[in-house]
Short mmCIF file of all heavy atoms in Angstrom, two decimals:
data_model
loop_
_atom_site.label_atom_id
_atom_site.label_comp_id
_atom_site.label_asym_id
_atom_site.label_seq_id
_atom_site.Cartn_x
_atom_site.Cartn_y
_atom_site.Cartn_z
N THR A 1 0.82 -1.23 -0.01
CA THR A 1 0.01 -0.01 0.01
C THR A 1 0.84 1.26 0.01
O THR A 1 0.36 2.36 -0.35
CB THR A 1 -0.94 0.04 1.22
OG1 THR A 1 -0.12 -0.02 2.41
CG2 THR A 1 -1.90 -1.14 1.21
N GLY A 2 2.11 1.18 0.40
CA GLY A 2 2.95 2.36 0.45
C GLY A 2 2.79 3.17 1.72
O GLY A 2 3.18 4.33 1.79
N GLY A 3 2.15 2.56 2.72
CA GLY A 3 1.92 3.24 3.99
C GLY A 3 0.67 2.68 4.63
O GLY A 3 0.03 1.77 4.09
N ILE A 4 0.29 3.21 5.77
CA ILE A 4 -0.88 2.70 6.49
C ILE A 4 -1.73 3.87 6.96
O ILE A 4 -1.22 4.87 7.47
CB ILE A 4 -0.49 1.83 7.67
CG1 ILE A 4 0.19 0.52 7.19
CG2 ILE A 4 -1.72 1.44 8.51
CD1 ILE A 4 0.65 -0.38 8.30
N THR A 5 -3.03 3.78 6.74
CA THR A 5 -3.96 4.75 7.21
C THR A 5 -5.26 4.07 7.51
O THR A 5 -5.45 2.88 7.22
CB THR A 5 -4.19 5.85 6.12
OG1 THR A 5 -4.97 6.93 6.70
CG2 THR A 5 -4.88 5.28 4.91
N ASP A 6 -6.18 4.81 8.14
CA ASP A 6 -7.48 4.26 8.42
C ASP A 6 -8.27 4.12 7.10
O ASP A 6 -8.08 4.88 6.12
CB ASP A 6 -8.27 5.15 9.38
CG ASP A 6 -7.62 5.20 10.75
OD1 ASP A 6 -6.96 4.22 11.11
OD2 ASP A 6 -7.79 6.23 11.43
N GLY A 7 -9.17 3.17 7.06
CA GLY A 7 -10.01 3.01 5.87
C GLY A 7 -9.43 2.02 4.88
O GLY A 7 -8.46 1.30 5.12
N ILE A 8 -10.05 1.98 3.70
CA ILE A 8 -9.66 1.07 2.62
C ILE A 8 -8.50 1.64 1.83
O ILE A 8 -8.53 2.79 1.41
CB ILE A 8 -10.89 0.80 1.70
CG1 ILE A 8 -12.01 0.18 2.54
CG2 ILE A 8 -10.50 -0.14 0.55
CD1 ILE A 8 -13.32 0.02 1.77
N MET A 9 -7.49 0.82 1.63
CA MET A 9 -6.28 1.28 0.90
C MET A 9 -6.04 0.52 -0.38
O MET A 9 -6.35 -0.67 -0.48
CB MET A 9 -5.07 1.09 1.82
CG MET A 9 -5.07 1.87 3.12
SD MET A 9 -3.65 1.56 4.17
CE MET A 9 -4.01 -0.11 4.75
N LYS A 10 -5.52 1.23 -1.36
CA LYS A 10 -5.19 0.59 -2.65
C LYS A 10 -3.86 -0.17 -2.52
O LYS A 10 -2.92 0.29 -1.85
CB LYS A 10 -5.01 1.66 -3.73
CG LYS A 10 -4.58 1.12 -5.08
CD LYS A 10 -4.38 2.24 -6.10
CE LYS A 10 -3.93 1.66 -7.46
NZ LYS A 10 -3.77 2.78 -8.49
N ILE A 11 -3.82 -1.35 -3.14
CA ILE A 11 -2.57 -2.16 -3.15
C ILE A 11 -1.90 -1.97 -4.52
O ILE A 11 -2.52 -2.28 -5.55
CB ILE A 11 -2.88 -3.65 -2.90
CG1 ILE A 11 -3.54 -3.81 -1.55
CG2 ILE A 11 -1.63 -4.46 -2.99
CD1 ILE A 11 -4.10 -5.22 -1.31
N ASN A 12 -0.71 -1.46 -4.52
CA ASN A 12 0.05 -1.29 -5.75
C ASN A 12 0.88 -2.55 -5.96
O ASN A 12 1.66 -2.94 -5.10
CB ASN A 12 0.96 -0.06 -5.65
CG ASN A 12 0.20 1.20 -5.36
OD1 ASN A 12 -0.54 1.69 -6.22
ND2 ASN A 12 0.39 1.76 -4.15
N LEU A 13 0.78 -3.12 -7.15
CA LEU A 13 1.50 -4.36 -7.46
C LEU A 13 2.95 -4.07 -7.77
O LEU A 13 3.28 -3.07 -8.33
CB LEU A 13 0.83 -5.10 -8.62
CG LEU A 13 -0.63 -5.52 -8.45
CD1 LEU A 13 -1.11 -6.33 -9.63
CD2 LEU A 13 -0.84 -6.25 -7.16
N GLU A 14 3.78 -5.01 -7.34
CA GLU A 14 5.20 -4.95 -7.58
C GLU A 14 5.48 -5.08 -9.08
O GLU A 14 4.68 -5.70 -9.82
CB GLU A 14 5.94 -6.05 -6.77
CG GLU A 14 5.94 -5.86 -5.28
CD GLU A 14 6.79 -4.70 -4.84
OE1 GLU A 14 7.94 -4.63 -5.33
OE2 GLU A 14 6.32 -3.86 -4.06
N PRO A 15 6.62 -4.55 -9.56
CA PRO A 15 6.98 -4.73 -10.97
C PRO A 15 6.99 -6.20 -11.37
O PRO A 15 7.48 -7.06 -10.65
CB PRO A 15 8.41 -4.15 -11.06
CG PRO A 15 8.45 -3.14 -9.94
CD PRO A 15 7.63 -3.74 -8.85
N GLY A 16 6.39 -6.50 -12.53
CA GLY A 16 6.32 -7.85 -13.04
C GLY A 16 5.00 -8.54 -12.70
O GLY A 16 4.67 -9.56 -13.29
N TRP A 17 4.26 -7.97 -11.75
CA TRP A 17 2.96 -8.56 -11.38
C TRP A 17 1.82 -7.82 -12.07
O TRP A 17 1.88 -6.59 -12.28
CB TRP A 17 2.76 -8.47 -9.86
CG TRP A 17 3.61 -9.42 -9.10
CD1 TRP A 17 4.83 -9.17 -8.53
CD2 TRP A 17 3.30 -10.79 -8.79
NE1 TRP A 17 5.33 -10.30 -7.90
CE2 TRP A 17 4.37 -11.30 -8.04
CE3 TRP A 17 2.22 -11.62 -9.08
CZ2 TRP A 17 4.41 -12.63 -7.59
CZ3 TRP A 17 2.25 -12.91 -8.60
CH2 TRP A 17 3.33 -13.42 -7.86
N ARG A 18 0.81 -8.54 -12.41
CA ARG A 18 -0.41 -7.96 -13.04
C ARG A 18 -1.58 -8.88 -12.74
O ARG A 18 -1.39 -10.00 -12.26
CB ARG A 18 -0.22 -7.83 -14.56
CG ARG A 18 -0.10 -9.15 -15.30
CD ARG A 18 0.29 -8.95 -16.75
NE ARG A 18 0.26 -10.19 -17.53
CZ ARG A 18 1.22 -11.12 -17.52
NH1 ARG A 18 2.25 -10.98 -16.71
NH2 ARG A 18 1.12 -12.18 -18.30
N MET A 19 -2.75 -8.43 -13.09
CA MET A 19 -3.94 -9.26 -12.91
C MET A 19 -4.37 -9.82 -14.28
O MET A 19 -4.29 -9.12 -15.31
CB MET A 19 -5.09 -8.47 -12.28
CG MET A 19 -4.82 -8.10 -10.85
SD MET A 19 -6.24 -7.38 -10.04
CE MET A 19 -5.52 -5.97 -9.22
N THR A 20 -4.78 -11.10 -14.27
CA THR A 20 -5.32 -11.74 -15.46
C THR A 20 -6.56 -12.51 -15.04
O THR A 20 -6.84 -12.72 -13.85
CB THR A 20 -4.32 -12.72 -16.09
OG1 THR A 20 -4.00 -13.76 -15.20
CG2 THR A 20 -3.01 -11.98 -16.54
N LYS A 21 -7.31 -13.02 -16.05
CA LYS A 21 -8.52 -13.83 -15.75
C LYS A 21 -8.20 -15.30 -16.06
O LYS A 21 -7.46 -15.60 -16.99
CB LYS A 21 -9.68 -13.35 -16.62
CG LYS A 21 -10.42 -12.12 -16.09
CD LYS A 21 -11.26 -12.47 -14.90
CE LYS A 21 -12.21 -11.37 -14.47
NZ LYS A 21 -13.37 -11.27 -15.37
N ARG A 22 -8.76 -16.17 -15.28
CA ARG A 22 -8.60 -17.62 -15.49
C ARG A 22 -9.48 -18.03 -16.69
O ARG A 22 -10.62 -17.56 -16.85
CB ARG A 22 -9.00 -18.38 -14.27
CG ARG A 22 -9.07 -19.90 -14.45
CD ARG A 22 -9.59 -20.59 -13.18
NE ARG A 22 -8.55 -20.70 -12.16
CZ ARG A 22 -8.78 -21.17 -10.94
NH1 ARG A 22 -9.99 -21.57 -10.59
NH2 ARG A 22 -7.80 -21.25 -10.06
N THR A 23 -8.99 -18.96 -17.50
CA THR A 23 -9.75 -19.50 -18.60
C THR A 23 -9.77 -21.04 -18.47
O THR A 23 -8.86 -21.64 -17.90
CB THR A 23 -9.16 -19.13 -19.96
OG1 THR A 23 -7.83 -19.69 -20.08
CG2 THR A 23 -9.10 -17.62 -20.15
N TYR A 24 -10.81 -21.66 -19.07
CA TYR A 24 -10.90 -23.12 -19.08
C TYR A 24 -11.62 -23.49 -20.38
O TYR A 24 -12.72 -23.05 -20.62
CB TYR A 24 -11.67 -23.63 -17.89
CG TYR A 24 -11.84 -25.14 -17.87
CD1 TYR A 24 -10.72 -25.97 -17.74
CD2 TYR A 24 -13.09 -25.72 -18.04
CE1 TYR A 24 -10.86 -27.35 -17.72
CE2 TYR A 24 -13.23 -27.11 -18.03
CZ TYR A 24 -12.11 -27.92 -17.87
OH TYR A 24 -12.23 -29.28 -17.88
N ASN A 25 -10.95 -24.32 -21.21
CA ASN A 25 -11.52 -24.73 -22.50
C ASN A 25 -11.96 -23.55 -23.33
O ASN A 25 -13.02 -23.55 -23.96
CB ASN A 25 -12.69 -25.69 -22.30
CG ASN A 25 -12.26 -27.08 -21.88
OD1 ASN A 25 -11.09 -27.46 -22.08
ND2 ASN A 25 -13.13 -27.86 -21.30
N GLY A 26 -11.16 -22.52 -23.30
CA GLY A 26 -11.43 -21.34 -24.13
C GLY A 26 -12.45 -20.37 -23.52
O GLY A 26 -12.71 -19.32 -24.11
N GLN A 27 -12.99 -20.71 -22.36
CA GLN A 27 -14.01 -19.83 -21.74
C GLN A 27 -13.37 -19.03 -20.64
O GLN A 27 -12.63 -19.55 -19.80
CB GLN A 27 -15.14 -20.69 -21.19
CG GLN A 27 -16.23 -19.88 -20.50
CD GLN A 27 -17.35 -20.76 -19.97
OE1 GLN A 27 -17.31 -21.97 -20.05
NE2 GLN A 27 -18.35 -20.13 -19.38
N THR A 28 -13.66 -17.74 -20.61
CA THR A 28 -13.12 -16.87 -19.56
C THR A 28 -13.98 -17.00 -18.32
O THR A 28 -15.21 -16.83 -18.36
CB THR A 28 -13.08 -15.40 -20.04
OG1 THR A 28 -12.31 -15.30 -21.24
CG2 THR A 28 -12.47 -14.49 -18.98
N LEU A 29 -13.31 -17.24 -17.17
CA LEU A 29 -14.00 -17.38 -15.91
C LEU A 29 -13.88 -16.11 -15.08
O LEU A 29 -13.12 -15.20 -15.41
CB LEU A 29 -13.44 -18.60 -15.14
CG LEU A 29 -13.37 -19.89 -15.92
CD1 LEU A 29 -12.76 -20.98 -15.06
CD2 LEU A 29 -14.76 -20.33 -16.37
N GLY A 30 -14.62 -16.07 -14.00
CA GLY A 30 -14.58 -14.86 -13.11
C GLY A 30 -13.34 -14.83 -12.20
O GLY A 30 -13.03 -13.78 -11.66
N HIS A 31 -12.66 -15.98 -12.05
CA HIS A 31 -11.52 -16.05 -11.15
C HIS A 31 -10.39 -15.16 -11.66
O HIS A 31 -10.08 -15.13 -12.83
CB HIS A 31 -11.05 -17.49 -11.07
CG HIS A 31 -10.06 -17.76 -9.96
ND1 HIS A 31 -10.48 -18.17 -8.71
CD2 HIS A 31 -8.74 -17.67 -9.92
CE1 HIS A 31 -9.41 -18.31 -7.95
NE2 HIS A 31 -8.34 -18.02 -8.64
N ILE A 32 -9.76 -14.45 -10.72
CA ILE A 32 -8.66 -13.50 -11.07
C ILE A 32 -7.35 -14.02 -10.55
O ILE A 32 -7.24 -14.49 -9.40
CB ILE A 32 -8.98 -12.11 -10.44
CG1 ILE A 32 -10.31 -11.58 -11.02
CG2 ILE A 32 -7.86 -11.13 -10.77
CD1 ILE A 32 -10.84 -10.39 -10.22
N TYR A 33 -6.34 -13.94 -11.38
CA TYR A 33 -4.97 -14.30 -11.01
C TYR A 33 -4.15 -13.07 -10.69
O TYR A 33 -4.21 -12.07 -11.40
CB TYR A 33 -4.27 -15.06 -12.14
CG TYR A 33 -4.72 -16.45 -12.38
CD1 TYR A 33 -5.08 -16.86 -13.67
CD2 TYR A 33 -4.70 -17.41 -11.37
CE1 TYR A 33 -5.46 -18.19 -13.92
CE2 TYR A 33 -5.05 -18.73 -11.62
CZ TYR A 33 -5.46 -19.11 -12.90
OH TYR A 33 -5.82 -20.41 -13.14
N PHE A 34 -3.28 -13.18 -9.64
CA PHE A 34 -2.14 -12.28 -9.53
C PHE A 34 -1.04 -13.04 -10.29
O PHE A 34 -0.55 -14.06 -9.84
CB PHE A 34 -1.77 -12.07 -8.07
CG PHE A 34 -2.74 -11.19 -7.33
CD1 PHE A 34 -3.72 -11.73 -6.53
CD2 PHE A 34 -2.66 -9.80 -7.45
CE1 PHE A 34 -4.59 -10.93 -5.85
CE2 PHE A 34 -3.57 -8.98 -6.78
CZ PHE A 34 -4.53 -9.54 -5.98
N THR A 35 -0.66 -12.48 -11.44
CA THR A 35 0.16 -13.20 -12.41
C THR A 35 1.54 -12.62 -12.50
O THR A 35 1.74 -11.40 -12.55
CB THR A 35 -0.50 -13.20 -13.78
OG1 THR A 35 -1.81 -13.77 -13.68
CG2 THR A 35 0.31 -13.96 -14.81
N ASN A 36 2.55 -13.52 -12.58
CA ASN A 36 3.92 -13.12 -12.88
C ASN A 36 4.51 -14.17 -13.78
O ASN A 36 4.36 -15.37 -13.53
CB ASN A 36 4.75 -13.01 -11.61
CG ASN A 36 6.02 -12.19 -11.79
OD1 ASN A 36 6.78 -12.48 -12.72
ND2 ASN A 36 6.26 -11.23 -10.91
N ASP A 37 5.12 -13.78 -14.87
CA ASP A 37 5.65 -14.71 -15.86
C ASP A 37 6.99 -15.32 -15.45
O ASP A 37 7.45 -16.28 -16.09
CB ASP A 37 5.81 -14.03 -17.22
CG ASP A 37 4.46 -13.58 -17.79
OD1 ASP A 37 3.46 -14.26 -17.51
OD2 ASP A 37 4.44 -12.56 -18.52
N SER A 38 7.57 -14.82 -14.40
CA SER A 38 8.88 -15.29 -13.96
C SER A 38 8.74 -16.13 -12.70
O SER A 38 7.76 -16.02 -11.94
CB SER A 38 9.78 -14.11 -13.67
OG SER A 38 11.02 -14.55 -13.11
N SER A 39 9.70 -16.99 -12.48
CA SER A 39 9.74 -17.78 -11.23
C SER A 39 10.78 -17.21 -10.26
O SER A 39 10.86 -17.66 -9.13
CB SER A 39 10.04 -19.25 -11.57
OG SER A 39 11.30 -19.34 -12.25
N GLU A 40 11.55 -16.20 -10.75
CA GLU A 40 12.54 -15.51 -9.91
C GLU A 40 11.89 -14.27 -9.38
O GLU A 40 11.83 -13.23 -10.03
CB GLU A 40 13.79 -15.20 -10.70
CG GLU A 40 14.51 -16.40 -11.27
CD GLU A 40 15.07 -17.32 -10.16
OE1 GLU A 40 15.45 -16.77 -9.12
OE2 GLU A 40 15.08 -18.56 -10.36
#
């Protein structure tokens, strides 16, 4: 979050991380991934 305060805070993703949607048999599902293409 870059700090702490009262209330709801935005989470900033680290470099290399992004959000994607899960798919199955070509169909897009509602499940969301925190995705990184690297294992390092």
